[in-house]
Amino acid sequence: MEKLIILPFSIGFIYLLGILGFRVVKWVGGLSRLDKLRLIHSFKTRRFFDSIKEVFMEGLLHRKIFRKNPVLGYMHMSLAFGWFLLIVVGHIEVMVSRQSLIAPIYLPVFFRYFETDHSFMLSGIFSFLMDLLLLFVLSGVALALLKRFKKKLFGMKKTTRLKTGDRIALLSLWMIFPLRLLSEGMSAGLYGNGSFLTSTLGHIFGNLNSETANLSLWTAYSCSLGFFFAALPNSRYMHIPTEILLIFVRNAGVKLKKRNNTYTNIQVFSCSRCGLCLDNCQLSAAGINNTQSVYILKNIRNHNLSDEQLFNCLLCGKCEVDCPVGINTIDLRITQRIESTRQYNSSYKYLEDGPVPKADTVYFAGCMTHLTPGIIASMKKLFHLAGENVWFMDEEKAPCCGRPLMLAGQYEAASKLIANNTRKIIGSGAKKLVVSCPICYKVFKEDYELANVEVVFHAEYILNLLQQEIIALKKGSDRIIYHDPCELGRGMGMYEPPREVLRTTGKVIPIKNEKHMAHCCGGSLGNLKISQVERSLLRNQAVEDYLRYRPDVLATACPMCKKTFSRHPNLKVLDISEAVANALQISSDQESTKEKMKLEIHEFELI
Amino acid sequence: MNNKHVAVIGGGIAGMEAASVLARQGLKVTLIEKQANTGGKLNDWDHLFPDFSSPDELVNSLANKTKDSGVNTVCNTEISRIERNGKRFELRANQDVRFFADAVLVASGFNVFDATIKEEYGYGLFGNVITSVDFEKRMKKHGQLHTIQGTAPKRVAIIHCVGSRDAKVGNTYCSKVCCITGIKQAIEISEMLPDCEVFCFYMDLRLYGSKFDSLYLQAQKRHKIQFIRGRLSEAAERADKSIQIKAEDTLQGRPLRMTVDMVILLVGMEPGVSTSQLIQKNQMTVDENGFLKSANMHCARNQSTQEGIFMTGTAICPMAVNETLENARSAATEIIHFFENRRP
């Protein structure tokens, strides 16, 4: 009869194990053959230990959340790591008391109920430890309750709303440890098997202590565990077991390759819906509050994702920065776009297949640089000074790099452009491809197969010219703020080369929101739904932040960002190539092209 | 009513016309202009559409009218502040100059769109890309059109809607006068350089005024001006300083590239900066385009949202010269009604 109290726990636990087993088999089985081999291979290498370490550091200690906010980190750590230690120490306690390595799974959970005799080796130390750990976990539960009312204390401005499944799971989770405290307190009062926490509680209960009350409390405890386990697979707490799998799969080198597979599911189920990504998303400044990554992941999971949400995203990558689980939200969203978009009948028959000139270096300006001819003029000047044998590939006409189509989910169309460009670049026999647009740079680096051709971003190219002393600059006293373009910074991890270039022209001032936390300019090609007015709200938000530092120049390394910021009055915006061209130290040619032209026009008018 | 004093801010054609009408009705009028001379932007203009008349004649006759009617004209003075003081207004200029008035008429005009914002058109970067304003200035000064190399252009492209009806630069409204200005300038080029090919790139041709359509027909039939429906996407300078332009011919549904010797950008009108400074300090409101907002779009077009402050001309919205003059007269009428209806 007494054994019946383990039933709710056991049923829940067995159900959970069944579901988890089924899902792991389904998800791992759904990976491509190559990815499966990667996963198996990773178990034999150091990556396995890296994954174990990561599971410990992130899954239990929650190091990333700690960095974001210590209180939030402590809350997660006390719940996860505390519970983990309760299980481990509980098992050791049972093993010691039974003097056997094998013990039923339920026994440590209900140990204080079944083990009324309290005289085995080190029992005092064990009960002290278990009380201490229980207190540790309870402190986390208390913080979790507090967070529901005062999320600002935890460094969060916004959080997600809960669904029914989540509520059941959350409520049972909150009940588990207080009920365990009450049950163990009651047992301690009855059998004297507690320590500082539970014994004290037992004393407080005093006359209330009875066998019946004890049984009811333990049953309630078992039920809360059972409910939590049963609700877990359909709640956000599914992220706990899934994250472990995600860490192993990700460390094995598995990536999303423009098509959904079960790696999508693994990532989607790893999202805890903590909402940390909400605070970083700039779209809320334009009043867009339902398209953030956490909602997209939820909608993918629930099969109710709308295009309106899917395409209303700047793809700036700021949400990835603080994701405690490390979900690759950008790849995931682009893949969803590819999957959900009808591929247009884009034959591109007019793309030319003619002969290609030979050159050492190819310059691809791209559509965006063509909208900012100041950058092209500066690049031409630098190529000329460097004596580069360069072929300006898209000076007259050439297809786009393909990235904007890719961002819009038009993968097939993008592939056609990529094929055409690849043929030309390789055909030129060049060793180097210079690009002045981060959007092009990303696609050339990631989606082109260019054999021996090295893809060089203009910041790197210019930096090399400076280091080789091919060009010399006159350093001015301008205060410069460097705006990190999304595709270059978070997208390609290039933060330093543009800054190093700018340091040779003026004083680069460090600011709070830079590098991985840099603003998006709002001009993003990734967002197909946002209006111009909303874009300008995002731009103004960024500019206001920059103007607080009173810069003379806002420099960037992206024609799109430059164009977006140029529309704001009272701000001098330059691309790094223009800043360099302006600072060139050549005796006969000290004015910038732009000022020289203005002078010529002026002179003409004076005639 | 005769002892009432009206201050008119802005000595362009709107301010001059309104001031002279008010003065002839017996009011005391002070016309305040920030530049050295009255006449405003028309001083730079060579010819007016649709009759190719001279703006100098117009400006001179307006100057004579203001003088003869007894308007007190104050130049080199920029008003930075209007303060209400009971029923009167106190106007302050940058220096320690003050004016007192019973009503204020704001005729501060417009600003020309800064074409460097559309960097893809290369204004300020390429010597052979000029604006419609530059064209008028050059014609007035030299009476001829030259490329930066000093040669007569053989092909000219005129680009409509630069800074107008363009959400990307934040101006969604139509500047109204550019279409007909483009046609006028195309005809002038064609008459001056008969061998020169002229292309107009337009989105719509908004030829709303009387005689505008006949000028358009004349441009096509007699002057063989070619009109291409399509917005310019970008311009690039070639080694010989000619300009390669890319656009889409939307009637043929084809991308288009051509090389021209010169590009003229038909720059639109934007709300004046001086207007915005006045607004900040006086709670005069602006409409969604940034121009001064009327108390009523239909029956109180010249009344601002502040009682006693009126406005006229392109401070309200883009207008052609003849409309501006009509609007100035209507503003004068509204001010006279304002004084007549106000009980002392």
Side-chain angles (χ1 to χ4, degrees):
Chain A
M1 181 63 196
E2 281 185 345
K3 287 242 166 184
L4 281 180
I5 65 157
I6 70 163
L7 260 185
F9 161 77
S10 306
I11 292 168
F13 189 65
I14 290 163
Y15 170 76
L16 176 64
L17 277 187
I19 297 274
L20 289 185
F22 171 73
R23 282 188 181 161
V24 169
V25 170
K26 196 175 114 185
W27 288 339
V28 174
L31 293 173
S32 70
R33 221 181 94 79
L34 193 66
D35 284 344
K36 269 184 262 184
L37 284 174
R38 280 197 179 105
L39 187 60
I40 293 164
H41 180 70
S42 76
F43 290 133
K44 299 176 202 155
T45 61
R46 248 197 67 213
R47 286 179 176 184
F48 179 69
F49 296 101
D50 291 344
S51 302
I52 298 274
K53 191 182 156 200
E54 196 180 333
V55 168
F56 185 75
M57 296 306 282
E58 300 304 336
L60 293 176
L61 297 188
H62 292 91
R63 191 176 46 168
K64 277 187 200 155
I65 305 182
F66 249 107
R67 273 190 214 141
K68 170 95 181 165
N69 181 290
V71 186
L72 196 64
Y74 176 81
M75 182 196 113
H76 282 84
M77 186 188 76
S78 56
L79 279 169
F81 191 52
W83 197 355
F84 173 75
L85 286 179
L86 266 183
I87 295 168
V88 173
V89 178
H91 272 269
I92 297 171
E93 186 185 22
V94 169
M95 285 175 198
V96 172
S97 82
R98 295 274 159 121
Q99 298 191 333
S100 148
L101 285 176
I102 304 155
I105 292 279
Y106 69 85
L107 196 52
V109 184
F110 304 99
F111 188 65
R112 294 278 181 286
Y113 181 74
F114 292 114
E115 192 64 50
T116 47
D117 177 27
H118 196 61
S119 55
F120 56 90
M121 193 175 68
L122 301 172
S123 61
I125 294 177
F126 273 117
S127 47
F128 172 76
L129 262 181
M130 292 299 276
D131 268 17
L132 191 66
L133 288 172
L134 184 59
L135 187 66
F136 183 43
V137 177
L138 282 169
S139 67
V141 176
L143 284 175
L145 274 162
L146 185 65
K147 176 172 162 273
R148 283 285 134 191
F149 305 104
K150 291 237 177 232
K151 52 182 174 290
K152 277 199 180 147
L153 285 179
F154 298 79
M156 293 176 79
K157 290 188 205 99
K158 300 189 202 92
T159 191
T160 49
R161 264 185 294 162
L162 297 175
K163 295 198 312 164
T164 323
D166 293 331
R167 281 182 201 281
I168 296 172
L170 182 74
L171 210 63
S172 355
L173 180 62
W174 280 354
M175 297 295 282
I176 292 171
F177 296 97
L179 280 171
R180 180 167 176 154
L181 175 70
L182 293 178
S183 320
E184 290 193 350
M186 183 81 67
S187 291
L190 287 172
Y191 316 120
N193 59 358
S195 185
F196 69 97
L197 186 66
T198 42
S199 294
T200 317
L201 194 65
H203 281 296
I204 294 169
F205 283 152
N207 289 337
L208 290 173
N209 285 331
S210 75
E211 293 283 342
T212 333
N214 194 31
L215 183 69
S216 328
L217 279 173
W218 281 98
T219 310
Y221 167 57
S222 175
C223 285
S224 65
L225 275 169
F227 268 120
F228 179 65
F229 291 148
L232 186 140
N234 290 319
S235 75
R236 60 186 195 145
Y237 297 99
M238 185 61 201
H239 82 90
I240 301 167
T242 317
E243 191 186 343
I244 300 169
L245 180 63
L246 173 73
I247 289 170
F248 281 97
V249 174
R250 184 174 56 210
N251 287 349
V254 175
K255 280 197 175 103
L256 267 191
K257 301 228 173 45
K258 320 284 181 202
R259 284 282 160 216
N260 273 337
N261 59 22
T262 48
Y263 187 46
T264 304
N265 298 58
I266 298 175
Q267 293 198 77
V268 164
F269 279 83
S270 294
C271 173
S272 63
R273 282 175 225 160
C274 62
L276 283 179
C277 53
L278 296 176
D279 287 346
N280 275 4
C281 183
Q282 275 171 256
L283 284 181
S284 52
I288 300 167
N289 286 316
N290 63 341
T291 70
Q292 282 75 3
S293 290
V294 57
Y295 302 121
I296 296 301
L297 288 158
K298 189 176 89 176
N299 290 339
I300 298 173
R301 184 168 162 178
N302 298 337
H303 305 288
N304 58 357
L305 182 62
S306 74
D307 275 4
E308 204 56 45
Q309 289 169 289
L310 181 57
F311 287 89
N312 199 341
C313 167
L314 302 161
L315 297 174
C316 71
K318 252 178 149 176
C319 52
E320 282 187 9
V321 174
D322 275 337
C323 179
V325 194
I327 298 173
N328 199 335
T329 51
I330 300 300
D331 277 0
L332 205 62
R333 197 186 284 255
I334 292 178
T335 305
Q336 292 312 310
R337 288 184 178 188
I338 292 170
E339 294 269 357
S340 84
T341 310
R342 206 170 62 98
Q343 300 292 326
Y344 296 110
N345 179 22
S346 41
S347 67
Y348 293 115
K349 277 185 188 139
Y350 54 82
L351 289 182
E352 282 176 7
D353 259 346
V356 172
K358 294 282 172 202
D360 297 335
T361 301
V362 175
Y363 173 50
F364 187 92
C367 316
M368 286 305 134
T369 313
H370 274 284
L371 296 181
T372 51
I375 300 177
I376 292 181
S378 307
M379 289 307 291
K380 277 184 172 174
K381 196 171 185 176
L382 293 172
F383 287 133
H384 175 70
L385 289 174
E388 197 81 55
N389 173 15
V390 63
W391 172 44
F392 189 170
M393 179 176 157
D394 57 342
E395 181 165 28
E396 293 278 309
K397 59 176 173 180
C400 150
C401 65
R403 176 90 180 144
L405 282 168
M406 202 82 91
L407 295 175
Q410 292 289 331
Y411 182 62
E412 276 176 37
S415 307
K416 287 175 189 165
L417 303 184
I418 289 174
N420 187 282
N421 283 328
T422 305
R423 192 194 60 78
K424 285 184 190 159
I425 294 164
I426 292 182
S428 73
K431 295 199 178 53
K432 210 188 285 173
L433 169 69
V434 181
V435 291
S436 49
C437 169
I439 305 164
C440 305
Y441 180 61
K442 191 168 170 70
V443 77
F444 277 124
K445 276 282 215 192
E446 291 183 348
D447 296 286
Y448 278 67
E449 284 167 18
L450 291 171
N452 302 325
V453 186
E454 186 196 359
V455 183
V456 183
F457 190 60
H458 74 332
E460 299 172 299
Y461 178 80
I462 297 169
L463 189 60
N464 186 49
L465 293 184
L466 288 164
Q467 285 167 346
Q468 306 278 321
E469 294 180 358
I470 296 168
I471 53 170
L473 303 183
K474 192 173 180 231
K475 187 164 175 162
S477 56
D478 275 354
R479 284 166 62 81
I480 304 172
I481 284 184
Y482 173 68
H483 164 83
D484 287 282
C486 301
E487 295 272 68
L488 190 68
R490 284 181 292 266
M492 294 301 293
M494 189 187 285
Y495 296 112
E496 279 312 315
R499 288 186 166 80
E500 282 184 50
V501 168
L502 289 170
R503 278 186 206 115
T504 60
T505 71
K507 189 173 183 297
V508 180
I509 39 180
I511 57 169
K512 182 167 163 264
N513 291 312
E514 64 176 1
K515 299 189 180 170
H516 63 278
M517 282 310 286
H519 298 286
C520 170
C521 67
S524 162
L525 293 175
N527 196 323
L528 277 68
K529 296 288 178 188
I530 192 170
S531 71
Q532 285 296 340
V533 176
E534 289 166 331
R535 281 184 192 279
S536 62
L537 290 173
L538 303 187
R539 178 201 64 196
N540 293 348
Q541 190 193 33
V543 171
E544 272 161 35
D545 184 30
Y546 293 149
L547 286 179
R548 288 191 296 128
Y549 299 89
R550 302 188 180 284
D552 299 311
V553 173
L554 177 64
T556 185
C558 170
M560 182 87 240
C561 299
K562 190 203 160 189
K563 254 197 101 48
T564 309
F565 286 130
S566 303
R567 282 172 212 135
H568 194 279
N570 321 324
L571 191 63
K572 187 179 174 191
V573 189
L574 287 178
D575 183 77
I576 51 164
S577 60
E578 295 171 304
V580 168
N582 288 350
L584 275 174
Q585 224 174 11
I586 315 159
S587 51
S588 64
D589 194 12
Q590 281 187 339
E591 288 110 357
S592 72
T593 11
K594 195 168 171 175
E595 272 154 37
K596 215 175 130 194
M597 278 304 177
K598 271 189 178 162
L599 209 70
E600 279 176 32
I601 294 173
H602 188 62
E603 275 166 5
F604 174 73
E605 284 190 355
L606 290 177
I607 297 169
Chain B
M1 194 173 76
N2 283 354
N3 54 3
K4 296 289 182 203
H5 188 166
V6 182
V8 181
I9 302 172
I13 54 166
M16 290 161 92
E17 177 77 346
S20 67
V21 173
L22 287 167
R24 267 180 289 164
Q25 294 297 315
L27 289 153
K28 292 196 180 97
V29 184
T30 308
L31 180 62
I32 307 157
E33 166 59 38
K34 66 177 172 187
Q35 284 176 321
N37 296 303
T38 52
K41 294 196 175 58
L42 273 202
N43 287 336
D44 292 331
W45 224 251
D46 191 37
H47 286 115
L48 299 178
F49 61 76
D51 58 353
F52 299 90
S53 61
S54 158
D56 289 345
E57 280 175 29
L58 173 66
V59 171
N60 286 338
S61 86
L62 283 173
N64 288 337
K65 262 162 78 176
T66 48
K67 202 176 154 193
D68 298 345
S69 57
V71 173
N72 173 27
T73 305
V74 184
C75 287
N76 293 316
T77 306
E78 185 170 0
I79 297 298
S80 57
R81 218 182 155 118
I82 309 172
E83 262 173 41
R84 183 187 289 280
N85 203 340
K87 282 188 173 182
R88 302 207 78 198
F89 293 96
E90 182 183 330
L91 284 72
R92 281 193 205 171
N94 284 339
Q95 313 91 334
D96 278 337
V97 180
R98 292 180 191 189
F99 301 91
F100 294 91
D102 300 291
V104 178
L105 177 60
V106 180
S108 51
F110 67 96
N111 274 359
V112 175
F113 174 73
D114 175 9
T116 58
I117 291 174
K118 289 293 276 183
E119 191 186 336
E120 58 266 45
Y121 294 170
Y123 182 67
L125 281 168
F126 310 146
N128 283 322
V129 178
I130 64 169
T131 65
S132 43
V133 180
D134 297 336
F135 175 85
E136 294 292 337
K137 283 183 185 170
R138 288 188 188 194
M139 291 303 289
K140 185 159 198 167
K141 202 160 196 171
H142 313 295
Q144 55 185 345
L145 189 65
H146 275 320
T147 62
I148 194 150
Q149 307 92 298
T151 55
K154 296 219 161 51
R155 281 183 132 189
V156 176
I158 296 178
I159 315 300
H160 290 236
C161 298
V162 177
S164 307
R165 302 179 73 201
D166 185 349
K168 285 192 175 173
V169 300
N171 295 342
T172 49
Y173 56 87
C174 167
S175 291
K176 212 170 158 188
V177 298
C178 327
C179 280
I180 186 65
T181 303
I183 290 171
K184 184 206 74 134
Q185 293 185 346
I187 291 174
E188 284 174 327
I189 295 170
S190 167
E191 281 179 344
M192 188 167 49
L193 306 163
D195 295 334
C196 182
E197 284 183 284
V198 185
F199 302 87
C200 285
F201 288 86
Y202 68 96
M203 296 204 289
D204 294 313
L205 283 170
R206 298 195 157 176
L207 304 168
Y208 66 98
S210 119
K211 298 181 188 166
F212 290 5
D213 266 301
S214 59
L215 208 62
Y216 173 44
L217 276 178
Q218 187 191 330
Q220 292 176 89
K221 284 190 171 169
R222 196 187 305 161
H223 300 283
K224 311 293 178 205
I225 313 281
Q226 295 186 52
F227 288 84
I228 300 169
R229 196 186 79 179
R231 198 161 203 166
L232 197 64
S233 65
E234 64 196 54
E237 190 178 55
R238 298 168 65 97
D240 62 356
K241 304 273 178 203
S242 63
I243 307 289
Q244 188 196 55
I245 53 176
K246 290 183 192 168
E248 187 188 347
D249 185 333
T250 56
L251 290 180
Q252 293 195 37
R254 270 210 320 229
L256 173 152
R257 266 185 314 144
M258 69 161 69
T259 305
V260 295
D261 300 317
M262 203 163 205
V263 172
I264 299 174
L265 307 175
L266 293 171
V267 280
M269 294 187 184
E270 285 195 332
V273 172
S274 50
T275 316
S276 65
Q277 282 164 355
L278 287 177
I279 295 157
Q280 283 167 9
K281 286 159 188 160
N282 300 289
Q283 296 95 44
M284 285 174 80
T285 37
V286 290
D287 64 13
E288 66 271 27
N289 298 328
F291 290 91
L292 293 177
K293 191 176 176 179
S294 300
N296 185 297
M297 181 78 188
H298 306 286
C299 46
R301 192 77 172 116
N302 298 99
Q303 273 175 42
S304 79
T305 46
Q306 285 267 313
E307 199 194 2
I309 300 183
F310 296 81
M311 63 233 185
T312 182
T314 49
I316 304 176
C317 68
M319 283 181 201
V321 169
N322 56 351
E323 293 169 296
T324 306
L325 296 173
E326 285 162 16
N327 190 275
R329 294 190 281 274
S330 97
T333 317
E334 281 200 37
I335 292 171
I336 290 160
H337 285 175
F338 169 71
F339 286 131
E340 280 172 355
N341 294 336
R342 193 155 87 171
R343 297 278 166 259

